[in-house]
Amino acid sequence: MKTHLPSAVILCASLVLFCVHSFATENQTSLTASPIATSQTSGGSTSSSQGGFVLIPLSSTSVDSQDASLSATEPTIDTQAVETMVVEETTYLSAGQVLDTLFPESDKTWQEGTLTASSPELQFHAVAGNPYFSVNGQYYYVPSQVMEKDGILFLPTESLAESLGCSLEEEPETGALRMQRSGSLPTSPTYPEEDLYWLSRAIYAEAGNQPMAGRIAVGTVILNRVAHESFPDTVREVIFAPGQFSPVENGTIYRTPDEESVIAAKLCLDGVREAEDCLYFNVTSIVSWADQSRTYVCTIGDHNFYL
């Protein structure tokens, strides 16, 4: 027995090595087999399936970087590359150039001081000299007016960015502003029917011959009263309170308002204000109770305004 023991040991070792080699070879063949049986798509990623296992390839792009990539594809404007002008320390941009970059598919028309742009998502309208412009039926107040110079229509940078769903970012190195689409465009707003009806009529009756700032100031007084604890809680009740507004007494409150008065009422309901927190006003040519009893704040057009 002793003389055959080394041969037996060698035989057993050989068998073990053969089994290990066979097992390794089989596994390697399984892993490198081609073609793969099925290919599946889940959530935009292609996955491979074989023998009941699903192998999903690792993405080199995270969700956050995907969002950043999408954001980077949005049109961006370096305001230094756009025609500008400065009015009362406010920078204005060429509205036409901005629209060309952000909405190249829109149909734009420039005629007699009026710029319009139309596309399935955008309805833009601005007139040189007006104290407002509109995007999709939403009005934006421009106290220093829409400007025109050398056949180019200009709008304030911040108002233009807000109306077109854009963010404004300052370049750290140069200080230049970059405008990029980052939000949705406005949709046509809706207003409380009764409030718009009576507010526009009161503005027209009291300030129909005044500039937009004067009309908005009258609307401001009415809405300030609605918000004040000493007055009624609705626009109609404030206007029809006894002895408060002369158009109620003389009947002019029932006249159909002009377009400017309706726009002024909409701007007021959107939060635009003139005459600060004033609760009273009167015609400048008349000495009234307010002149003697209330604190004077300002004069806008033909009206004085008081706290």
Side-chain angles (χ1 to χ4, degrees):
M1 294 292 293
K2 289 183 180 180
T3 57
H4 297 288
L5 181 58
S7 299
V9 171
I10 292 172
L11 178 61
C12 290
S14 299
L15 288 173
V16 170
L17 288 173
F18 176 77
C19 291
V20 170
H21 177 74
S22 299
F23 180 76
T25 302
E26 180 180 356
N27 282 345
Q28 184 177 6
T29 303
S30 175
L31 288 174
T32 59
S34 178
I36 293 175
T38 60
S39 177
Q40 301 174 347
T41 301
S42 174
S45 299
T46 301
S47 61
S48 301
S49 172
Q50 179 178 326
F53 293 94
V54 178
L55 305 176
I56 303 176
L58 294 178
S59 172
S60 62
T61 306
S62 67
V63 173
D64 289 341
S65 60
Q66 286 177 358
D67 290 342
S69 176
L70 289 173
S71 176
T73 64
E74 292 292 347
T76 301
I77 297 176
D78 185 339
T79 59
Q80 288 185 331
V82 178
E83 290 278 354
T84 63
M85 66 182 300
V86 178
V87 179
E88 298 177 359
E89 300 183 354
T90 298
T91 300
Y92 280 59
L93 300 180
S94 165
Q97 287 181 281
V98 171
L99 292 171
D100 283 339
T101 301
L102 298 182
F103 303 92
E105 77 288 353
S106 64
D107 295 324
K108 287 171 283 295
T109 302
W110 168 252
Q111 186 175 8
E112 297 180 357
T114 300
L115 177 64
T116 60
S118 179
S119 73
E121 65 172 335
L122 174 70
Q123 296 296 321
F124 176 95
H125 185 81
V127 179
N130 277 358
Y132 57 84
F133 67 99
S134 67
V135 175
N136 294 347
Q138 174 79 56
Y139 289 94
Y140 295 85
Y141 187 39
V142 186
S144 52
Q145 298 186 344
V146 177
M147 294 291 175
E148 178 188 358
K149 182 180 180 182
D150 299 329
I152 299 174
L153 187 133
F154 293 88
L155 289 170
T157 302
E158 292 186 0
S159 298
L160 190 56
E162 178 189 358
S163 69
L164 298 178
C166 293
S167 60
L168 285 173
E169 297 182 359
E170 183 175 323
E171 288 287 345
E173 296 181 358
T174 65
L177 286 177
R178 292 172 63 85
M179 181 186 296
Q180 182 178 40
R181 289 193 62 182
S182 58
S184 58
L185 290 168
T187 57
S188 183
T190 57
Y191 302 94
E193 184 176 352
E194 184 176 76
D195 289 352
L196 181 60
Y197 182 91
W198 289 114
L199 186 60
S200 61
R201 279 159 173 74
I203 290 172
Y204 180 59
E206 291 281 9
N209 61 346
Q210 298 300 299
M212 181 59 70
R215 299 181 195 230
I216 292 174
V218 168
T220 295
V221 167
I222 293 171
L223 293 181
N224 284 347
R225 288 190 178 193
V226 172
H228 198 281
E229 60 184 8
S230 300
F231 296 90
D233 297 330
T234 69
V235 170
R236 187 185 187 284
E237 289 175 331
V238 163
I239 293 171
F240 283 88
Q244 295 300 304
F245 292 91
S246 57
V248 173
E249 299 177 0
N250 61 32
T252 57
I253 191 66
Y254 299 103
R255 292 178 179 174
T256 300
D258 62 5
E259 182 181 14
E260 296 287 294
S261 295
V262 174
I263 292 172
K266 289 180 176 180
L267 288 169
C268 287
L269 292 172
D270 285 335
V272 175
R273 295 290 183 268
E274 293 280 3
E276 303 176 13
D277 297 325
C278 289
L279 296 169
Y280 302 90
F281 67 91
N282 71 315
V283 178
T284 55
S285 59
I286 298 176
V287 176
S288 70
W289 163 83
D291 291 303
Q292 308 298 324
S293 305
R294 310 302 301 185
T295 302
Y296 168 82
V297 173
C298 63
T299 298
I300 301 177
D302 294 335
H303 290 104
N304 294 328
F305 293 86
Y306 309 85
L307 294 176

